[in-house]
Amino acid sequence: MPHWVDACAAEDIETEDLIRYDHPDGRTFAIYRSPEDEFHCTDGLCTHEFVHLADGLVQGCLIECPMHNGVFDYRTGKAKRAPAYEDLKTYQTKVENGRVLIEI
Amino acid sequence: MDYLRCPIPWCGEFVLDRRNYSLLGEEGRKAVEKGLAAADWYHTKVSRNEMKELMGRTDRYALRDTAIWIAALLLSAGAGIYLWPSWFSVPFWLAYGVLYGSSSDSRWHECGHGTAFKTPWMNDVVHQIACFMIMRNPTVWRWSHSRHHTDTIIVGRDPEIAVMRPPDAARILLNLFGIMDAIEAFRRMFIHVTGRLHPEEETYVPASEHHKVVFTARIWFAIYAATVATAVWMGSILPLMVIGLPRFYGAWHHIMTGVLQHAALADDVIDHRLNSRTFHLNPISRFIYWNMNYHVEHHMFPMVPYHALPRLHELIKHDLPSADGSVWSAYRTVLPVLLRQLRGDNVFLVRKLPDTARPYRAELHDAVGA
């Protein structure tokens, strides 16, 4: 059953950047702050290979995998460039009292 | 166990535990079992802000370098054609050959990573042109290089191990003139033209990409056929001096630099400091090679563009083996090891780390070094 999880403080993420959030159940997520100051969340690992997206580069609404240049639109999870073909799973986010919550 | 005959006549026959570098062989399966495939590699610590700054994209440097490259290609080819068939044309063909047959290696590579330009279509255009020049199918090599970065010098997994054990000295020497690589490139192109892929390529190129491989190969085949037909019609090899042959007579520079990337270093390790080499180069060669002499840095952080690699080197060199001072000094350490490998010794170099570096992960790298 999806539920809201307190992942980080909003100020932990710079604009046009992301951080990694590891849930105690073992899952890992990437939380993004867009240039428009919106927060987004996707699975933390590239769908191509086992690489944490949190080490990658955010450019606008895109996240580039730090290993092989696979690119995703982090708002939709859509894979935009090979070698990434499989879309990322996305999660709802909200900000309450300066904290970023993700629904997982 | 394989029995090998050394190419040097007086060496005779020796026994060597020769490894199977095929992606279809037993070694690949063993690498997966040992956890060497898609492993968690060592990375020097770099702050997030510094890495973001280093990974930042711009068109500026690649536009400048590509404009110089294209201008130099046009000028050298133009002068070569103008002076043809005089011997005075030779220096211009030598320059054109390196710009075509060696600079294309680094352009293919860097644009394949998508890091040279900020604008994606610019990367794609230069990638396609450079792939044609270096005779590497852009789709096949994008995927093979992806594997090379995932499983760098992991035997049975990495399709781009240029210098195996024992080294194929004849192949390396012939490749200074592009011979073996170009023959293999044409063989693969003919396979692709018929709508098929090599069985090894099928292990890393997804089926959804196969049609791109075939489409490109057919276009290239048409270009080469038209070039040969023009040469026959003119009764001159001049068209081939411009298209095709520079891949042979200009290959020496990318072999000279490319061999140093990983040769005589460890295989089956998950620390790029043990299997990759950084060495210093003169500015002209760095332009040709687009800074890939910073190879440890490139493998550790592949999304850092070529123009930022010198800065990355300065930032992390405290954690790396010291860079070789030149191509010559690098070969002075590489060649004795390759010669011992040719004689059957299972040796490789383990470079000393500075006192400021974090140590190698000994539990993973316990083989005997040279």
Side-chain angles (χ1 to χ4, degrees), chain B residues 53-94:
Chain B
E53 193 269 330
L54 287 163
M55 287 194 298
R57 299 295 151 74
T58 173
D59 291 330
R60 179 179 162 198
Y61 300 106
L63 275 175
R64 176 199 65 192
D65 291 345
T66 303
I68 294 170
W69 182 48
I70 291 171
L73 279 164
L74 292 174
L75 284 171
S76 55
I81 292 166
Y82 180 72
L83 294 168
W84 180 264
S86 157
W87 284 103
F88 289 111
S89 69
V90 170
F92 296 100
W93 291 122
L94 291 177

Side-chain angles (χ1 to χ4, degrees), chain A residues 17 49 56 64 68 81 85, chain B residues 48 57 113 142 150 209:
Chain A
D17 201 7
E49 283 184 352
E64 180 185 83
H68 301 111
R81 179 186 160 94
Y85 277 103
Chain B
R48 175 70 185 159
R57 299 295 151 74
H113 276 288
R142 189 186 291 272
T150 302
E209 296 274 280

Side-chain angles (χ1 to χ4, degrees), chain A residues 11 32 34 49-50 57 59-61 73 76-77 89 94 99 104:
Chain A
E11 65 185 18
Y32 310 80
S34 74
E49 283 184 352
F50 190 85
L57 182 67
Q59 297 181 93
C61 60
D73 184 329
T76 61
K89 190 172 178 187
K94 62 182 178 183
R99 305 290 302 177
I104 58 176

Side-chain angles (χ1 to χ4, degrees), chain B residues 10-82:
Chain B
W10 57 85
C11 281
E13 198 167 62
F14 54 82
V15 180
L16 178 68
D17 185 9
R18 187 187 208 179
R19 303 193 65 180
N20 181 358
Y21 284 81
S22 166
L23 305 192
L24 307 171
E26 189 70 358
E27 294 276 5
R29 190 185 60 74
K30 285 182 186 170
V32 173
E33 281 177 2
K34 285 192 275 188
L36 289 168
D40 184 17
W41 286 70
Y42 175 81
H43 289 90
T44 300
K45 285 178 180 164
V46 178
S47 76
R48 175 70 185 159
N49 281 340
E50 284 172 318
M51 188 47 61
K52 273 166 58 180
E53 193 269 330
L54 287 163
M55 287 194 298
R57 299 295 151 74
T58 173
D59 291 330
R60 179 179 162 198
Y61 300 106
L63 275 175
R64 176 199 65 192
D65 291 345
T66 303
I68 294 170
W69 182 48
I70 291 171
L73 279 164
L74 292 174
L75 284 171
S76 55
I81 292 166
Y82 180 72

